[in-house]
Amino acid sequence: MARVTVVGAGVIGLSIAHELAVAGHRVQILAAQDALSSVSGVAAAIWFPHGVAHTAPVLDSAQVTLQRFQELAGRPDTGVRMRQGTVLMRRADTDTSWTRAVPHHERLDATQLPAHLVPGTGATGVACTVPVALTDVYLPWLHAEVLALGVTMRTTEVRDLREVLAQENPDALVVAAGMRSAALLADDDETYPVRGQIVRLANPGLTEWVTDNDNPQGLTYVVPRDHDVVCGGTGEVGSWNEQVDPEVEQAILRRACALVPALAGQPVLSRAVGLRPARSSVRVGAVEGYDRPVFACYGHGGAGFTLSWGDAARIAALIGPA
């Protein structure tokens, strides 16, 4: 393989293009929009395998990505920060298999949690330090890194993979277009959107994140970045609505401020909605039915950043060196 076309320029597509270029391939990206305009730009981008089954390949990819992000966090210009925080757990059967990818974590019982976080619920938690990517810094940085490796990009809406194969004539093609991927691959009828709405508040000086996935009022997370705090969220399965809902935003703010009282009264800086590409399992592998190698890499749910480098490495291994 020498010429590879990647369809999609979100965090998954850019990471794949990066690893293929490092392996010596000539890489071209085709995408209708840049990473910041995609669902990648909406993400809180905290390392956590949310919205995907915790299978062995998923946890392996998550661990590879964690290690890469730890390295990148040593360079402030990348926009990757290592941040301490707490995963709240309200159910005894909460899946904690993800912790095997995190070398240093601590199980917390109800007595070790601040009383205001889980009043009367008896919830437990996991304290750990994981990467947070500042999307407005990390995605442009990754884009620039990819270009520096010689990757070319063209803005276009891909509608037919066979057309791309005929016109671009690559040796291999990778479909990493998030929600668009299933429409491009006729053999997939199980991918569906999960609508996520977030609101970004001014940061009053917070550094620690907290997630409360089983909050009875709805999915709740607070992820501080350098200058703002991403507050979420929603997990509306099957919704294609990409418009901000003011009532949903108010509910998010009530939950976030109950979780982190210091957020009360902070001004809203921005708001956004993104459609997470979900399916029963992340799809990483070869696709049959084409006259040359075609590979899929999508269906990451809310774990695109978390699996990005690991799944990019899996695709690069499948294609092999140049």
Side-chain angles (χ1 to χ4, degrees), residues 1-2 4-6 12-27 61 64 68 149 172-176 283-286 293-297 300 307-322:
M1 306 296 178
V4 183
T5 294
V6 177
I12 299 295
L14 289 176
S15 302
I16 290 170
H18 184 284
E19 297 301 82
L20 291 175
V22 168
H25 296 287
R26 285 179 288 161
V27 184
S61 281
V64 169
R68 179 68 69 90
L149 288 168
L173 184 148
V174 182
V175 180
R283 187 177 188 183
V284 181
V294 172
F295 301 89
C297 190
H300 294 86
L307 304 180
S308 57
W309 288 111
D311 280 356
R314 291 173 65 189
I315 290 292
L318 287 170
I319 293 177

Side-chain angles (χ1 to χ4, degrees), residues 10-46:
V11 68
I12 299 295
L14 289 176
S15 302
I16 290 170
H18 184 284
E19 297 301 82
L20 291 175
V22 168
H25 296 287
R26 285 179 288 161
V27 184
Q28 171 187 231
I29 295 176
L30 303 179
Q33 56 189 0
D34 63 22
L36 281 174
S37 302
S38 73
V39 68
S40 296
V42 178
I46 181 172

Side-chain angles (χ1 to χ4, degrees), residues 149-164:
L149 288 168
V151 174
T152 60
M153 295 192 182
R154 183 151 59 86
T155 302
T156 182
E157 184 169 342
V158 174
R159 298 181 182 275
D160 188 316
L161 295 183
R162 287 186 170 81
E163 212 172 81
V164 172

Side-chain angles (χ1 to χ4, degrees), residues 88-148:
L88 296 180
M89 300 183 295
R90 295 175 183 258
R91 303 193 331 264
D93 63 346
T94 300
D95 183 357
T96 59
S97 58
W98 59 271
T99 58
R100 77 168 173 83
V102 184
H104 305 292
H105 64 273
E106 180 186 1
R107 299 294 181 98
L108 306 175
D109 62 31
T111 66
Q112 295 172 287
L113 295 171
H116 79 274
L117 292 182
V118 281
T121 67
T124 61
V126 175
C128 56
T129 299
V130 298
V132 173
L134 315 183
T135 51
D136 58 343
V137 178
Y138 177 70
L139 292 173
W141 171 84
L142 182 55
H143 182 276
E145 287 290 299
V146 164
L147 293 182

